[in-house]
Amino acid sequence: MEMLNPHCGIDRDDRGVVRLSICNAGSLNILSSAVTNGVREGFEKLAGDKNIRAVILAGQSAKSMIGGADIKEMAKLDQKSAEAFITRLRDLCEAVRQFPAPVIARLPGWCLGGGLEVAAACDFRIAAHDAKFGMPEVRVGIPSVIHAALLPRLIGWGRARWLVMTAENIDAPTALAWGLVDVVAKEGGLDAAVEHTVKALLECGPEALRIQKALLRQWEELPLTESVNLSVGVFGQSFLTGEPQRLMGDFLARKK
């Protein structure tokens, strides 16, 4: 593993797939300010590398990708330092959300609070069969904020309200049924399930995927008519990459 900083390590294969591991964050991969900054810096450093086809976000510990934010640190905060703390976490989530290539969250074990917010910012969420999810913030006197705002878009207002207001946890099958995760792996099959998604992405045009991800992010923000009209120009611009001509040519050649 190549360490980009004390809390962010990467493994890169010859396909352009990067596994970015959250390191030295305890057995549950807890997000202290230092860990949050380290992981964000890792994403920012990699963002300009056009050879990256996909990123797998994982925890160094097998118990979770991210167990949550650091309660020991948060317990000492005041208003000003609390805003600084949550701004750092917001910036990490945005670095993930705006990363040019697809990001896959690899989710074993616990995924709580800030960990679920980071997972929601990823493009795909693949969970172990025994993974658990929750937003426990209200039980420790704080609201769920920042990228918890993505939850209603993923699972609907009613289920998002249930998660953030009851602080109850849900299991992997429930998360799948709600649309919170995309895949629940068979027992012992988490890495195989992640690899299945990686292979699907690698079969797509890399430029097209980057364009599609950027377009999806804009769709999240824009009204329907604006989204539709924006897409016309984006479609035309995609032909400037040369990728449609090459891949469509390959497709037609196989049909002969």
Side-chain angles (χ1 to χ4, degrees), residues 12-203:
R12 185 192 304 247
D13 67 23
D14 57 8
R15 303 174 300 173
V17 178
V18 172
R19 179 169 170 140
L20 189 153
S21 297
I22 301 166
C23 301
N24 302 311
S27 63
L28 287 175
N29 296 308
I30 297 299
L31 290 177
S32 65
S33 290
V35 174
T36 300
N37 285 340
V39 180
R40 174 187 53 77
E41 289 168 6
F43 271 100
E44 290 175 350
K45 184 172 183 178
L46 295 173
D49 187 343
K50 290 195 172 183
N51 293 316
I52 294 176
R53 301 284 305 274
V55 172
I56 302 164
L57 179 57
Q60 188 177 37
S61 165
K63 293 183 178 180
S64 70
M65 183 185 83
I66 300 169
D70 190 344
I71 292 179
K72 290 181 180 178
E73 182 176 351
M74 287 192 290
K76 301 173 183 177
L77 301 177
D78 56 21
Q79 180 181 357
K80 185 175 181 180
S81 58
E83 290 177 1
F85 180 92
I86 205 65
T87 297
R88 285 188 284 271
L89 183 51
R90 179 203 66 188
D91 292 347
L92 167 57
C93 290
E94 277 302 294
V96 173
R97 187 169 167 265
Q98 300 297 340
F99 193 81
V103 180
I104 302 168
R106 180 187 181 278
L107 300 167
W110 292 98
C111 184
L112 302 174
L116 187 49
E117 289 162 11
V118 175
C122 294
D123 300 292
F124 304 99
R125 287 161 292 280
I126 300 179
H129 75 287
D130 56 352
K132 299 286 193 301
F133 303 87
M135 298 296 291
E137 285 89 341
V138 290
R139 288 192 180 170
V140 292
I142 53 176
S144 295
V145 293
I146 56 166
H147 288 71
L150 293 170
L151 294 176
R153 293 166 169 81
L154 290 171
I155 61 177
W157 281 100
R159 287 165 173 168
R161 186 180 297 113
W162 192 91
L163 275 179
V164 301
M165 294 187 73
T166 70
E168 290 287 310
N169 297 328
I170 60 173
D171 59 15
T174 302
L176 180 64
W178 285 13
L180 186 60
V181 300
D182 302 297
V183 176
V184 172
K186 297 177 181 178
E187 185 172 358
L190 180 56
D191 287 320
V194 170
E195 178 62 17
H196 179 83
T197 300
V198 166
K199 286 181 177 177
L201 294 171
L202 293 178
E203 290 176 359

